Amino acid sequence: MSVLRRTLVLSGVLVLAAAGCGSNSLEGGSSTSSSSAPSSAPASGPDLSGSLPAKIKSAGKIVVGVDASYPPNEFLQGGKTVVGMDVDLFNAVAQKFGVTVEWQPAGFDTIITGVQGGKYDVGVSSFTINDKRKQQVNMVSYFNAGTLWATAKGNPKGVNADDACGKTVAVQKGTTQLEDDIPKRQAACKTAGKPEIKLVVREKQDQATADLVAGKADAMLADSPVVLYAIKQTNGQLEQLGDIYDAAPYGYVVPKKETAFAQAITEALKSLDSEGTYKSTLQKWNNDSGAITDFAVNP
């Protein structure tokens, strides 16, 4: 999977790499948000406006919770505007319903509960679909990604992803990597009588990336598009470790009670795919290798 060659300054990765510190533009400040361009009527394709929940129809917008620290999927441009692959694609989905999107940055591990509690209408933040999450909310598949490791250039600490026992590894809080992947590796270390992996758990992915660049961690693991983008944006300071594995679909997070809305989102995605917008949006971010055609609710 290739990565986008852009000159955007990320909300943390490049700045933190230069400064060697662990804060980013969302910490210590107020939340920021951005909306998609206004749309007074549904875009071409099926009329899906009748499937909108009453709250969204009345407001004329979908309030979306997003962890804007996960480039190239979702991140802050200029410290205030939420941009990225997920942003462009879901803005296009919203246009199919004739509404706009209000993007509200939030901690990754708070978004699902925010959707459950009604703070957000939808969660869009590179959520890997798994059984635990499907028990909490509806999830609409729209992209496929795997997990990838990275180390400092040349792997000076000699990290082996299949035997990282005793190494210091950075990972973002609330991710599939931390909740599903790392526990299995820790158990293997214990069984082998080796020291456990020393975890540096960070609130945001750009902080984990900065820890690796600064030498505070020996390696990191995250979703493959994110790791590949970080490698490119840190100008050769990092390198890929091993291959992508455990590929799984990303899903939009929709409340359990809004199954009809979730199903309508799949119809919007199918329409975007048939007209070519879906793949062209992914291609803009050099992520078209993750394209899917079987959009579904709770696959």
Side-chain angles (χ1 to χ4, degrees), residues 223-234:
D223 289 353
S224 50
V226 173
V227 171
L228 291 169
Y229 191 78
I231 290 170
K232 185 65 180 179
Q233 292 299 103
T234 52

Side-chain angles (χ1 to χ4, degrees), residues 8 34 72-77 81-85 87-88 285:
L8 295 175
S34 66
N73 298 355
E74 44 264 335
F75 60 102
L76 289 180
Q77 182 179 16
T81 304
V82 184
V83 298
M85 178 195 77
V87 177
D88 287 349
W285 297 96

